[in-house]
């Protein structure tokens, strides 16, 4: 069995393919030639080599450029054939030259910051809201970065000679606020724009086509899709990928091969899952917007499987009352999850900053899965009933206005 890098798999393509086709076949194009149908899992941590001079030359080449070594694998921290298949597939879906996978989304973001910081570019311009831990990593300066928070219109004015990165998330976690990526990319000039595309996935948008140089995913979410793998990935050009591989090798934030296999398998159903869950989410957003127990609904114009809504009553009562929906952090699984961002995912963000970014204390974030819409609505309806009695007593009759995120 050929265990070499999968970089050459694109050679079998002679014409562009639809996203749904790429999702099924990218990273697997060589399997039939090897007499295989399912991708193999290579769990080796090290590989035999009887040519130590050749190994030295390959390691020297990696140290210089970060390019994937030619020939058989060397060591699990430098690269793995199963993980490389996932990277090949994700790059194809995002429309970039390369992708580099990590042990988590935060490891992926940390690697990007370390790459830019190593070049003396430690200043970051960022737009809130972001995922809570991303916000914390920047604000706390744990990697020696300095952050300037701004709105999308202020990006150009916030740039400095030492700015190494502009970071946005669209739709944003947890308010689902949307950013005009093309306009922000233009405002960045020569500074790389990193877009966290976790919520949208390449099914709904491909930021690289709108000018982003870096596309970040918490692959734990929709890319894996089943709540059983922890991972992160950055899709980018080959030059930046080489630097990311060097950081990954040095810091050890590698993705386990089994996780790489699960992610590759998850990609094959990504378009089907995202589109099905998005249709249900849109219907639930419509019903919530017409419900007097709801103060406001957030649902992005781009669509998607995420819905956020603010209740008139106690959001904790809703969390405690769901039965079919799982009250849990994270998102993107086949089952529906709900959580209270101010208590969990964004708890680490300063309360004033959190509220200033639109993350109110009554906001609930729901990741819609693949259940039947009527079953999900029935569960939401009975959970909202825990605050309905109090609302009727005070005579609350106003209906929520849907608030498409911008």
């Amino acid at each position: 069995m050929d265990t070499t890098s999968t970089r050459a798999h694109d050679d079998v393509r002679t014409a562009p393919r639809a996203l749904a086709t790429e999702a099924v076949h990218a990273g697997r194009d060589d399997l039939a030639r090897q007499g295989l149908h399912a991708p193999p899992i290579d769990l080796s941590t090290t590989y035999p080599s009887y040519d130590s001079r050749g190994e030295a030359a390959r390691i020297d080449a990696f140290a210089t450029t970060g390019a994937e070594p030619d020939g058989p694998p060397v060591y699990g921290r430098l690269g793995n054939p199963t993980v490389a298949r996932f990277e090949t597939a994700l790059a194809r879906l995002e429309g970039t030259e390369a992708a580099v996978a990590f042990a988590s989304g935060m490891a992926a973001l940390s690697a990007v910051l370390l790459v830019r910081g190593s070049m003396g570019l430690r200043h970051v311009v960022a737009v809130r809201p972001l995922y809570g831990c991303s916000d914390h990593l920047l604000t706390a300066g744990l990697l020696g970065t300095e952050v300037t928070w701004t709105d999308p219109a202020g990006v150009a004015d916030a740039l400095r000679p030492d700015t190494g990165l502009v970071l946005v998330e669209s739709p944003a976690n947890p308010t689902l606020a949307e950013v005009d990526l093309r306009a922000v990319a233009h405002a960045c000039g020569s500074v790389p724009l990193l877009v966290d595309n976790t919520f949208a996935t390449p099914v709904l948008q491909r930021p690289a086509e709108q000018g982003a140089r870096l596309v970040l995913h918490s692959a734990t979410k929709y890319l894996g899709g089943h709540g059983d793998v922890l991972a992160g990935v950055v899709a980018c050009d080959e030059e930046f990928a080489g630097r990311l591989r060097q950081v990954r090798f040095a810091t050890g934030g590698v993705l386990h091969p089994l996780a790489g296999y699960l992610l590759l398998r998850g990609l094959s159903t990504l378009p089907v899952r995202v589109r099905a869950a998005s249709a249900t989410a849109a219907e639930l957003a419509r019903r919530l917007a017409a419900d007097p127990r709801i103060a406001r609904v957030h649902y992005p114009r781009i669509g998607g499987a995420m819905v956020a809504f603010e209740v008139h009553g106690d959001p904790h009562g809703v969390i405690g009352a769901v039965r079919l929906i799982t009250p849990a952090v994270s998102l993107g699984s086949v089952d529906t999850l709900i959580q209270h961002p101010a208590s969990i995912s964004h708890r680490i963000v300063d309360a004033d900053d959190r509220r200033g970014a639109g993350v109110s204390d009554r906001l609930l974030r729901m990741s819609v899965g693949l259940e039947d819409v009527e079953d999900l609505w029935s569960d939401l309806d009975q959970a909202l009933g825990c605050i309905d009695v109090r609302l009727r007593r005070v005579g609350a009759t106003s209906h929520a206005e849907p608030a498409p995120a911008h």
Side-chain angles (χ1 to χ4, degrees):
M1 177 173 29
D2 182 7
T3 58
T4 58
S5 169
T6 62
R7 285 178 297 164
H9 290 173
D10 283 353
D11 294 344
V12 303
R13 274 199 309 168
T14 58
R17 302 192 299 206
L19 182 78
T21 304
E22 291 284 30
V24 172
H25 290 279
R28 306 166 179 84
D29 289 321
D30 66 323
L31 294 180
R33 288 185 279 113
Q34 297 189 58
L36 299 172
H37 184 240
I41 306 175
D42 188 332
L43 295 172
S44 298
T45 57
T46 192
Y47 301 85
S49 173
Y50 296 94
D51 181 9
S52 55
R53 290 186 180 88
E55 292 292 77
R58 293 205 297 156
I59 291 173
D60 285 348
F62 176 81
T64 301
T65 66
E68 295 179 282
D70 292 325
V74 178
Y75 182 58
R77 188 153 47 84
L78 196 148
N80 173 271
T82 306
V83 172
R85 290 182 180 278
F86 164 66
E87 293 172 331
T88 296
L90 193 277
R92 290 254 288 270
L93 291 180
E94 283 290 3
T96 59
E97 293 178 344
V100 184
F102 294 86
S104 70
M106 291 308 301
L109 176 58
S110 295
V112 172
L113 295 174
L114 288 171
V115 166
R116 300 304 280 168
S118 70
M119 302 169 69
L121 302 170
R122 300 183 179 278
H123 178 243
V124 177
V125 174
V127 175
R128 279 187 171 123
L130 296 174
Y131 168 53
C133 287
S134 300
D135 188 308
H136 175 68
L137 181 65
L138 295 176
T139 303
L142 296 176
L143 298 179
T145 55
E146 179 188 351
V147 62
T148 296
W149 296 102
T150 185
D151 57 36
V155 166
D157 291 338
L159 299 178
R160 306 188 325 206
D162 63 337
T163 301
L165 191 70
V166 175
L167 175 57
V168 302
E169 184 174 4
S170 182
N173 188 351
T175 65
L176 306 179
E178 294 175 278
V179 174
D180 183 338
L181 298 181
R182 197 175 300 278
V184 172
H186 178 74
C188 290
S190 61
V191 177
L193 170 63
L194 183 152
V195 176
D196 188 328
N197 202 34
T198 298
F199 278 19
T201 81
V203 177
L204 300 180
Q205 72 180 8
R206 306 212 303 180
E209 295 177 347
Q210 300 180 57
R213 186 178 177 189
L214 308 166
V215 182
L216 173 72
H217 286 272
S218 173
T220 307
K221 313 307 193 294
Y222 289 104
L223 303 190
H226 292 75
D228 55 7
V229 60
L230 195 69
V233 64
V234 179
C236 56
D237 57 69
E238 178 56 35
E239 179 185 357
F240 205 98
R243 293 183 176 275
L244 288 173
R245 293 185 197 108
Q246 290 174 324
V247 169
R248 182 177 65 181
F249 176 73
T251 60
V254 296
L255 184 66
H256 191 275
L258 181 57
Y261 172 84
L262 291 172
L263 288 167
L264 184 63
R265 187 174 69 170
L267 288 185
S268 64
T269 61
L270 178 66
V272 176
R273 288 187 286 105
V274 169
R275 288 166 181 154
S278 297
T280 300
E283 174 59 18
L284 291 176
R286 185 190 68 79
R287 296 186 189 188
L288 286 167
D291 194 302
R293 299 166 293 189
I294 305 302
R296 191 179 186 192
V297 175
H298 304 258
Y299 188 70
R301 290 192 176 95
I302 198 174
M306 301 297 298
V307 180
F309 56 96
E310 299 170 46
V311 297
H312 282 298
D314 180 12
H316 302 285
V318 178
I319 293 291
V322 291
R323 294 295 176 262
L324 175 66
I325 298 169
T326 302
V329 73
S330 198
L331 57 109
S333 185
V334 291
D335 61 320
T336 300
L337 309 177
I338 192 169
Q339 65 112 353
H340 183 241
S343 295
I344 307 180
S345 64
H346 289 71
R347 188 66 179 180
I348 201 168
V349 179
D350 177 81
D352 289 338
D353 291 336
R354 188 170 67 228
R355 295 183 186 113
V359 186
S360 78
D361 291 341
R362 292 190 175 182
L363 182 74
L364 293 170
R365 190 196 74 188
M366 184 168 61
S367 168
V368 178
L370 300 181
E371 302 95 336
D372 185 86
V373 65
E374 297 302 335
D375 290 329
L376 290 174
W377 178 250
S378 177
D379 193 37
L380 273 177
D381 184 47
Q382 66 82 26
L384 289 167
C386 71
I387 60 174
D388 188 33
V389 172
R390 189 186 68 81
L391 289 176
R392 287 201 302 268
R393 287 173 180 168
V394 299
T397 57
S398 62
H399 286 222
E401 291 294 329
H406 298 283

